[in-house]
Amino acid sequence: MSMFKAILAVSVMMSVFAGPVIAEEEVAVGSQGGVIPLYKGKPFLHVIHNGRSVKVQRVQDTDFELHGYFAKTSRQCPPFCLGPMDVHPLVETIGEIEIFHFMENQLRDGTGMMIDARTPEWHAKGTIPGSVNIPFTTLSKSIDDLEMIEALELFGAKPREPVGAMTKTLEEWGVLKAENMTDTWDFSQCKELVLWCNGPACGQSPRAIKGLLEVGYPPEKLHYYRGGMQVWQLYGLSTIN
Amino acid sequence: MVFQAYRGNSARKYPNRAVLMFCLSVFVIPFSLSAAEDDDYLSALNQEAKKVDGKGEVSDTSGSVVTTGNTAVSREAFEAELKEKYAGSAVFYSKLPPGSQEEIFLEYQDGATIVELRKKIMDRFLHR
């Protein structure tokens, strides 16, 4: 009996001492206590931007407030009207966490690209690290336009040799594999793209996505970051000029 | 009859011209309207882009430097000078959170001496 009491007493004491330690760990977050992470367990990450490694993290000052253009609540509508959550039923709309995963996976292993679909004037004033500027004006062009052809090749799509009637028929019957192929382009090896612009009231990346879909880019390889620059900055995430 | 009256005499005299006008209205005008809309959108975008001055927004690759207000250029000069003349302090300064960096820079603007600034940098770095 006395043995049982001793064990009980030890466990009570342990729980009393363990309590404050756990509580301290829970509050040790923020500018005074430590790092404000990208998300729980991920303090920061690195991406390659223009050939150099760039750290992506959040502003560490909990008192920091956003000022300037991206702190504005409203813009003239039209043309800068709030857009729907989805650009296309088959194109996935993503948020910041998915961007971080994309940066660490597809971007790092070369199977994906992040596209700043804004005009160069916007891009020059700051962008999300790891992004490449291909304006929507380019991605809205027709399939036989040189700018569009260059963009598609950059994305890993390949022009097809002229397809004969026999091949076409066999492809239609399913004898030959024709998934993610049009008559003129082979999209089977193309990269996954994240397209973004200035935020929910920006029409530039939705236009770029529609342009890519029109030329046959597979919708499952396109992702729309609707938050764009405005939400990215709202969370104090690193940008680069 | 009403349509005939509407077309008028010139259409009767020059039927080819009427066909040409019809083709123009069907095929050309929608394209030109669409082009005009695109031009308007691009023009609005360019106007809007001019409003972005990069001040007071989250900037820089490290995420540790935040420019605010109209002080961005002076702050760059301050940081460059610190790096050039007091490399050690510059390293500790660069590791400070943006709020502390801002505080030190504002003290620099208010005329604090370099001795005071270097002490402040170490105080903030060591959480004193």
Side-chain angles (χ1 to χ4, degrees):
Chain A
M1 193 64 188
S2 61
M3 183 72 171
F4 174 73
K5 276 183 183 172
I7 292 169
L8 188 67
V10 168
S11 26
V12 166
M13 283 182 74
M14 279 177 76
S15 64
V16 166
F17 285 114
V21 172
I22 292 164
E24 260 181 29
E25 281 174 357
E26 280 173 354
V27 296
V29 175
S31 57
Q32 299 300 314
V35 173
I36 298 167
L38 293 175
Y39 55 92
K40 198 173 179 184
K42 188 76 187 172
F44 55 83
L45 60 85
H46 283 92
V47 290
I48 301 295
H49 187 90
N50 286 342
R52 67 188 179 101
S53 181
V54 171
K55 189 177 187 179
V56 176
Q57 64 178 5
R58 296 182 69 183
V59 168
Q60 298 297 300
D61 179 2
T62 50
D63 293 326
F64 177 72
E65 288 179 3
L66 194 63
H67 299 283
Y69 182 80
F70 288 103
K72 287 175 69 172
T73 59
S74 311
R75 290 167 188 82
Q76 191 68 42
C77 167
F80 307 112
C81 303
L82 284 169
M85 182 60 82
D86 296 314
V87 175
H88 184 275
L90 297 176
V91 174
E92 186 191 23
T93 301
I94 60 171
E96 292 72 36
I97 302 280
E98 290 80 9
I99 294 266
F100 304 146
H101 290 317
F102 191 87
M103 285 173 164
E104 290 204 296
N105 294 287
Q106 289 94 325
L107 211 56
R108 202 167 281 175
D109 61 25
T111 58
M113 288 177 76
M114 283 179 55
I115 308 298
D116 179 350
R118 302 173 301 166
T119 53
E121 291 81 12
W122 289 94
H123 178 76
K125 293 183 174 175
T127 189
I128 295 176
S131 300
V132 176
N133 184 214
I134 304 177
F136 77 95
T137 45
T138 296
L139 299 178
S140 307
K141 291 194 184 295
S142 65
I143 189 94
D144 50 4
D145 188 282
L146 190 61
E147 282 183 47
M148 177 58 102
I149 291 170
E150 281 176 353
L152 292 178
E153 286 183 339
L154 182 69
F155 299 157
K158 294 187 180 75
R160 290 185 80 184
E161 296 296 319
V163 181
M166 178 67 83
T167 310
K168 202 171 177 181
T169 309
L170 290 173
E171 283 179 356
E172 281 170 3
W173 287 353
V175 179
L176 291 177
K177 197 180 170 191
E179 198 184 359
N180 293 335
M181 286 188 195
T182 66
D183 286 352
T184 49
W185 284 87
D186 176 358
F187 291 100
S188 58
Q189 301 298 316
C190 67
K191 295 182 180 183
E192 270 188 70
L193 306 179
V194 170
L195 293 107
W196 62 271
C197 53
N198 281 329
C202 175
Q204 299 183 71
S205 53
R207 284 174 185 230
I209 290 170
K210 283 170 189 163
L212 284 168
L213 290 172
E214 265 182 36
V215 298
Y217 212 92
E220 66 274 13
K221 295 215 176 187
L222 297 174
H223 307 279
Y224 170 45
Y225 174 42
R226 183 174 181 265
M229 196 54 140
Q230 186 161 29
V231 176
W232 188 261
Q233 293 225 11
L234 185 66
Y235 291 128
L237 288 158
S238 311
T239 63
I240 187 165
N241 285 80
Chain B
M1 284 302 285
V2 174
F3 181 62
Q4 285 291 331
Y6 176 75
R7 283 172 67 193
N9 290 335
S10 64
R12 250 175 271 143
K13 283 179 187 170
Y14 308 106
N16 290 343
R17 189 180 288 176
V19 171
L20 184 68
M21 291 299 285
F22 176 76
C23 291
L24 275 174
S25 63
V26 170
F27 297 110
V28 178
I29 291 174
F31 283 115
S32 54
L33 280 177
S34 165
E37 277 174 17
D38 285 350
D39 286 349
D40 286 349
Y41 184 59
L42 277 174
S43 157
L45 276 175
N46 289 338
Q47 287 300 317
E48 198 71 3
K50 287 176 189 162
K51 296 178 187 171
V52 184
D53 56 9
K55 292 169 186 168
E57 289 161 8
V58 183
S59 65
D60 196 82
T61 62
S62 63
S64 60
V65 179
V66 175
T67 55
T68 53
N70 56 5
T71 58
V73 177
S74 309
R75 184 163 167 179
E76 279 170 13
F78 161 69
E79 286 172 353
E81 195 178 339
L82 194 67
K83 205 170 181 178
E84 190 184 339
K85 294 180 181 169
Y86 306 96
S89 297
V91 169
F92 293 118
Y93 171 85
S94 70
K95 292 182 187 302
L96 294 178
S100 301
Q101 289 184 342
E102 182 74 13
E103 180 191 357
I104 286 158
F105 173 63
L106 289 174
E107 288 201 6
Y108 163 75
Q109 277 193 320
D110 290 342
T113 65
I114 191 65
V115 177
E116 289 169 333
L117 291 174
R118 292 178 76 187
K119 184 178 179 306
K120 185 102 181 180
I121 289 170
M122 287 315 294
D123 285 349
R124 289 289 170 269
F125 183 74
L126 298 170
H127 301 288
R128 288 193 296 218

